[in-house]
Amino acid sequence: MKSIYFVALILFMSVGMAVAQTNPLLGEFNTPHNAAPFDKIENDHFLPAFEEGIKQGKADVEKIKNNTDAPTFENTVVALDQVARLLGRTSGIFFNLLSSETNDELQEIAQRVSPMLTAFQNDISLDPVLFERVKAVYDKKAELNLTPEQETLLENSYIGFVRRGANLSDSDKEKFRAFSTELSKLSLDFGENVLKETNGYELYIADKSKLAGLPEGALEAAAGKAKAKELEGWVFDISMPSYLPFMKYADNRDLRKELYLAYGSKSFKNNELDNQEKVKRIVELRLETAKLLGYKNYADYVLERRMATNADGVYGLLNDLYEASHKVALKEKAEILEYARKNGFEDDLMPWDWSYYSEKLKVEKFDLNDEMLKPYFELSHVVDGVFGLATDLFGITFKENKNIPVYNDEVTAYEVFDADGTFLSVFYTDFHPRAGKRGGAWMNDFKGQWMENGVDSRPHVTIVMNFTRPTETKPALLTFNEVETFMHEFGHALHGMLAKSTYSSLSGTNVYRDFVELPSQIMENWAVEKEFLDRFAKHYETGEPIPAELVQKIIASQNYLAGYLSVRQLSFGYLDMAWHTLESAYEGKVKDFEENAWKKTQIFPAIDGVCMSTQFGHLFAGGYAAGYYGYKWAEVLDADAFSVFKEKGLFNKEVAASFRKNILEKGGTEHPMILYKRFRGQEPSVDALLKRSGLVNGDETADL
């Protein structure tokens, strides 16, 4: 019996060793810059890697807990920042793929892994021994002579434990565990439902006469979709490159309405992909968590660690911008309705009419539309222009490296170097829609940046888009909005790639949520500058540079619909705050709540069958709960910050060096207002934003 046991044990150990040797996630990455070996990773590698990562993470934690030396900043706070490196690496790879290259198998793994990760996090934050060690260091922080970055890490560590339940009673800790576990699963389910709804819809048209008004590029793309499905005709879907041109140009109002309702009704159909109950349950769980921790609502809990500080700060910003925007939006609607009436439109102006008639009026007012601009924004030229801007501002360069594995043939991997040739980052670009990619655009990292044992471990950053695809006859030609989106996400990427922090939890985009959009939104400003556009915007067929008069039209049209666009963004902020300032569970209909929450911002009547909340991934499957206002908050920051470039030069290297040093490199190492003032010399005001948007012309200023 004993010999059989030992044989079994040897066989078990041999199998374990074989798994470790064949699972690329468990060993060193023998790739350039230790980039993820996507060419070797298979789905069934992930679960064992997560399990091993958690096992190693628990061992790291036990080592800290069992340290017989008195708690110090290094042996407790820094050690905690370095816990579970394997788990972090595996998570970075897996969850990025889950968003950009998902499939049923990955989604099933996510459902299994998510509660494991939540439990591991709770095991750390609810551990009384760990908390006592952190608290012991925190209590004597005045004596430690720490740097500002070290002070921030210590503060974040201590407050993080408290905010994740360390001071709760044992029974309340169990409630906290249950709430957080259920929340993680609900968020996953929410996002998966929206993706499945998006992928599940298509509009097939066999009769070309129904597609009058659509430009050649949109028709060719739709014909390509139909051909891929072995259909004769045209297929449209509700991905942005397909949806937006249809809403802007299709003369057939009934089809515009059909597509609008399909887009607006995602996960709001009372079927297996419906998210209404999930929205209410997520909100309820967040509220109960906040109450458990001593807050009256979830917004109070979140905003305590934001620049806005509290709900009053958020509503103050939203209300100020609403006052400046709403009347302008109503005037814009009246102008478009008048234009539509002059052109024979007799019905009420509805949401599915807005893009159509506003686009036609834009052409009439500015002699400008997307189709006129797209030939000058061929994707490879835009890439050159955006990369070139980073070179001009910050001295960094990009070199494609085909030896770095990628997760899809459409992905390109680059090495990024500083002006002195120092390696800075691996950088991936992923531009076009796929069935396995969720909608929208985002930046993330497969690996963050940190310093350890004197070695600067550099980041691996990715930006993911859903841009217009090339067709059989044309390369990928971007709309101007897509160019701005590219620059936005690239700004996030710069924040990650230029990170220069010691501690991983403070590096790159690990900053306050209402500060994280500053580096992204400031980059959009260059998109309307002639001096920048002249550098790369060339006709894809003739090579001719974009005409000066066309650039002037872009500039002249920048504030077109500024009131409407502002109010629309504010509506999402009001909706977010309404959900997260609730002080008791909501039992009614999600649609009713939504309509009441943003009622004052709506310039169209409510439409049956559509709902924003059930597809609002930022709030219910992302990290923007009680934080969506941050986009407007950061608009104030970016307009104010860009005014320095406008004053001293668009490519002024001194200003760029200051922005890099004080904002991009610093991550979350100090309070964002301290960093901003170090760059700007003063606190920001809303004045620059209101003037840039054309919403005010006066000389009054107001601090943020």
Side-chain angles (χ1 to χ4, degrees), residues 232-262:
E232 292 290 330
W234 299 263
V235 168
F236 298 87
D237 56 37
I238 47 179
S239 67
M240 283 297 105
S242 182
Y243 177 75
L244 288 179
F246 200 97
M247 300 306 291
K248 280 185 177 182
Y249 301 116
D251 293 338
N252 190 311
R253 190 184 188 218
D254 290 338
L255 289 179
R256 290 202 312 270
K257 178 180 179 180
E258 180 177 338
L259 210 61
Y260 172 86
L261 292 176

Side-chain angles (χ1 to χ4, degrees), residues 623-634:
Y624 281 81
Y628 200 83
Y629 75 92
Y631 283 103
K632 298 305 290 185
W633 188 278

Side-chain angles (χ1 to χ4, degrees), residues 494-554:
L494 287 172
H495 205 181
M497 293 188 292
L498 296 176
K500 196 175 181 180
S501 302
T502 303
Y503 309 111
S504 59
S505 63
L506 303 180
S507 180
T509 56
N510 289 312
V511 300
Y512 282 10
R513 183 68 71 176
D514 49 9
F515 189 64
V516 77
E517 298 297 335
L518 167 60
S520 56
Q521 291 181 186
I522 195 173
M523 296 304 293
E524 295 181 45
N525 288 277
W526 274 272
V528 296
E529 295 292 339
K530 183 177 185 301
E531 194 176 348
F532 171 60
L533 292 173
D534 283 346
R535 296 180 172 202
F536 71 93
K538 304 180 189 304
H539 197 285
Y540 78 100
E541 290 179 314
T542 67
E544 290 295 313
I546 189 168
E549 59 269 24
L550 208 50
V551 177
Q552 283 306 118
K553 290 174 183 178
I554 294 173

Side-chain angles (χ1 to χ4, degrees), residues 50 67 72 82 92 146 148 182 214 227 273 370 382 387 408 527 563 590 592 615 632 643:
F50 274 114
N67 192 331
T72 66
Q82 297 172 350
L146 301 176
E182 187 178 352
L214 282 165
K227 184 177 180 181
L273 299 178
D370 284 341
V382 178
F387 285 5
N408 187 288
V590 170
D592 292 343
Q615 58 182 293
K632 298 305 290 185
S643 68

Side-chain angles (χ1 to χ4, degrees), residues 659-671:
F659 192 76
R660 174 177 176 171
K661 178 182 177 182
N662 294 307
I663 305 294
L664 298 177
E665 291 183 351
K666 291 292 187 182
T669 56
E670 295 182 72
H671 191 282

Side-chain angles (χ1 to χ4, degrees), residues 332-515:
E332 291 165 347
K333 182 185 178 184
E335 183 182 21
I336 289 170
L337 179 59
E338 181 183 2
Y339 170 82
R341 291 277 186 263
K342 287 179 180 178
N343 285 273
F345 181 75
E346 297 178 351
D347 293 311
D348 293 332
L349 194 68
M350 301 300 284
W352 47 88
D353 302 314
W354 180 256
S355 293
Y356 180 74
Y357 283 107
S358 64
E359 183 67 15
K360 288 186 178 301
L361 179 58
K362 179 180 177 181
V363 173
E364 184 173 293
K365 290 182 75 168
F366 304 103
D367 188 25
L368 183 71
N369 64 29
D370 284 341
E371 297 306 305
M372 296 165 63
L373 294 174
K374 284 169 67 175
Y376 297 97
F377 293 130
E378 194 270 312
L379 179 56
S380 67
H381 292 165
V382 178
V383 170
D384 290 342
V386 174
F387 285 5
L389 176 60
T391 302
D392 286 341
L393 292 176
F394 309 115
I396 65 176
T397 53
F398 300 77
K399 182 181 179 182
E400 183 179 353
N401 187 337
K402 294 183 182 294
N403 293 320
I404 297 175
V406 293
Y407 56 86
N408 187 288
D409 290 343
E410 295 183 334
V411 177
T412 303
Y414 299 88
E415 296 170 297
V416 185
F417 298 96
D418 212 340
D420 62 1
T422 303
F423 171 73
L424 283 175
S425 178
V426 174
F427 179 51
Y428 303 87
T429 59
D430 182 358
F431 288 119
H432 302 299
R434 294 185 297 273
K437 183 190 289 188
R438 66 176 170 86
W442 62 93
M443 166 269 175
N444 214 329
D445 54 52
F446 289 102
K447 176 202 166 299
Q449 178 270 336
W450 61 78
M451 297 278 293
E452 194 169 335
N453 299 322
V455 177
D456 187 357
S457 185
R458 299 307 302 169
H460 301 168
V461 172
T462 180
I463 55 174
V464 185
M465 320 289 187
N466 281 276
F467 287 166
T468 304
R469 280 189 169 278
T471 65
E472 290 183 355
T473 63
K474 293 183 180 66
L477 302 176
L478 304 190
T479 66
F480 185 70
N481 179 259
E482 288 175 329
V483 174
E484 290 183 308
T485 299
F486 185 177
M487 298 186 73
H488 179 104
E489 300 306 333
F490 186 74
H492 282 310
L494 287 172
H495 205 181
M497 293 188 292
L498 296 176
K500 196 175 181 180
S501 302
T502 303
Y503 309 111
S504 59
S505 63
L506 303 180
S507 180
T509 56
N510 289 312
V511 300
Y512 282 10
R513 183 68 71 176
D514 49 9
F515 189 64

